[in-house]
Amino acid sequence: MTFTRRDLLKLGGGALAVGAGARALDLGRPIPAEAQTPKRGGTFRLRSHVPPVHFDPHATLAFSTMLPLSFVSSRLVKIKAGSAVVPGTQPVEADLAESWERQGDVVYVFKLKKGVRFHPKPPVNGRELTAEDVKFTYERYLAPTNPNRGALEVIDKIDAVDKYTVKFTLKEPFAWFVDALASTSTWIVAKESVEKHGDLKKPESVIGTGPWMLERYDPGSRMSFVRNPSYFVSGLPYADNVEITIDTDPASGFAAFLAGKYDFGPEYGMVLRRSDLEVAKQRKPNLQTRDYTVMFGGITWLKLDQEPFKDIRVRRALAMASSWREILETSAWALRHGVPNTAVPAALREWALPVDQLSADGRRLYEQDTAGAKRLLAEAGHPGGIKFPLETTPGYGPDYVDGVQIELKNWKAAGIDAELKMKEYGAYISSTIFGKFEKVASGLFGAWTDPDSYLSRYYLPGQPLNAAGVNDPKLTDMIKLQRRTFDVARRKDLIYDIQRYVAQQAYLLFGPSVGAVAAWEPHVKNFGPNIGHDYGGRMMAAWLDR
C-alpha cells in the first residue's frame, strides 16, 4: 500500500513530522552565552505543523497540547534553558518552588515562591498561587482518565502544610520523583477555571502563571501569546509576543522560513531538514545552527500473548530483517546522521546505552541479516514466512511513513509480510498506543525526558502504555530496583543492565533517532535547542536583537 504526500497531509495533519530517525552528530559542547545585555521587546515567530488537540494537560498525551502550554504555564521545577545547556542533558532547576528537600525515602517537601500570580483573566483574576493549587493540580493529575498519570502515580498523599508549603508522601521510594515533576505534562492549573469550564480543553480556560498569556487562538491557523506583565521572574520574558503559525505542509513551512517569516527552523524542535540545509545557508549565510540528536525514534509493538510473537526467535527475526542505517540514509531529516536506539532513547546521552555495549546477542539484532532472519523463522516453524496486519498513522508525517515503508520492504525480503493499515492520528493516539490493535503496531517514541518513563511505562505490567503486554517478572524486578535506587552511579549501572536485557528479549523493536540540525536567525540571542516540548522555557531565556 502506498500513499502520496498529499494523502498523508490530509490524513495526518495532527502529528509529529519526524523521520523514524537516529542519533545525530552531537558536538556535545555548550554554545558560549551571549556576552551582551539582553534586550526587551519584539515577537518570536515560529511554525507548528499540527494544531493542539485541545488545552487540557490532564486529558491527552499529545505533544501538540503540551507545547503551547509551555508558554503560559509553570510547574514546581523545570529544565534549565539557554545556550550553555548541552542538548540531551536535563538539568533541573526551580520554577514555582523556592526550595525542596527529600525527608527520608518517601517524603518530599516543597517551599513555594511567594507573590506568584495567575494571569489576570476571569475567573481567576490574577490571584496569588498557593499550596492548595499544587494539591488540586496533582490530585487532578492522578485521575484514572489522565493518560499521563503513570509519571506520578507513585504519589500516595499530598498535603498543603501551609500557604506556601506542599508535602508529597509517596507509596514507595522513587528516585526519579523530582525529574518527573519537571515533565511538560505537570503544569499547575487553576481550580476556578476547571470549575467554570468543566475541563481545560477550551482556549478560554488556559490560565496559568507562565511568562506569556494566550491572547488568541484561531483553530488550525495560529496561536498568539502576549507577555505576562506580572510574571514572577523579574525582567522576564524578554520578548513581548510569541506567534505560532499552524501549517501542516513541510514545503510551505520551509518556504515561509526562507522568506523570513519564522525566527526558528520550521520543523519540530526548531529543526531544518538536512536536505534543505544547503539552500537555507545560501539564502541565510549568518544562520545559527547546531547538530543534536532528536528524542524521537520508531517503535514497534508486538502482541506478545499471541502467536507467532510468543516465540523470541520470531521477534528477533523481525529485528534482524530491519535496517536502521537505511532509514537514516533516506531520511530528509538525517541524510545518514543519527544513531540506533535501545530501550532508552539515544538523545538521553547520560543514560542511553550505546549499541556497541550490548551483549553479543543484543548487538546482533542491530545488524541487518536477511538470511539470518529467514533461518530464525524456519527454526520457529515458519519456513514459508509469516503475515500480519501492521497498524500505524500518517499523522507523524511523510518522513515517518517513508521509514515505515522501508521497514516493510526489508521485512518482505525476509519472508515477513506486513499489511499496512493506516489510522487517523486522533484515533491512533487514543487507542493504538494503549494496545488496542490486532497484532502489530508502529509509531514514534520519545515523549519523555527521563529514562525511567521508557522503562516503567512500556514494560511494567498494568501500565496503560505497555501496549505489547510485556509481563516479565525478572524485568519487573530490575525496573523497580532502579526506581528506588538513589545513588546515581548505581542507578545508571542498573539502567544499562536493563537495556542489555530487553535488547536480547526483543519485546519491542526500536528504530533510530535522527541527527538533526536546529536552526535560528542570528538576531535570536541566548537560544539553545534541546529535547522535549518546553518551547516556552527555552524562549524565555532568549531575546531578540534586531
Side-chain angles (χ1 to χ4, degrees), residues 134-161:
V134 178
K135 176 179 170 66
F136 171 80
T137 293
Y138 292 119
E139 288 180 345
R140 185 176 190 265
Y141 190 100
L142 293 172
T145 53
N146 181 9
N148 288 296
R149 73 183 304 271
L152 297 175
E153 65 181 357
V154 72
I155 294 174
D156 182 45
K157 185 172 61 171
I158 308 169
D159 294 305
V161 177

Side-chain angles (χ1 to χ4, degrees), residues 316-329 340 355 361-376 403 405-416 510:
R316 287 178 170 177
L318 265 74
M320 290 173 65
S322 303
S323 175
W324 60 267
R325 289 186 176 87
E326 185 176 355
I327 290 175
L328 292 180
E329 288 168 357
V355 167
D361 285 342
R363 291 195 302 273
R364 193 173 298 118
L365 303 186
Y366 284 84
E367 295 299 326
Q368 187 180 26
D369 182 355
T370 303
K374 288 181 176 180
R375 284 195 299 272
L376 282 176
Q405 298 283 6
I406 289 170
E407 288 291 79
L408 297 186
K409 170 184 70 74
N410 289 328
W411 285 352
K412 185 80 170 179
I416 301 167
F510 299 104

Side-chain angles (χ1 to χ4, degrees), residues 515-534:
V517 181
W520 59 100
E521 295 283 10
H523 55 251
V524 176
K525 305 298 182 181
N526 197 38
F527 173 76
N530 206 345
I531 55 179
H533 311 321
D534 192 9

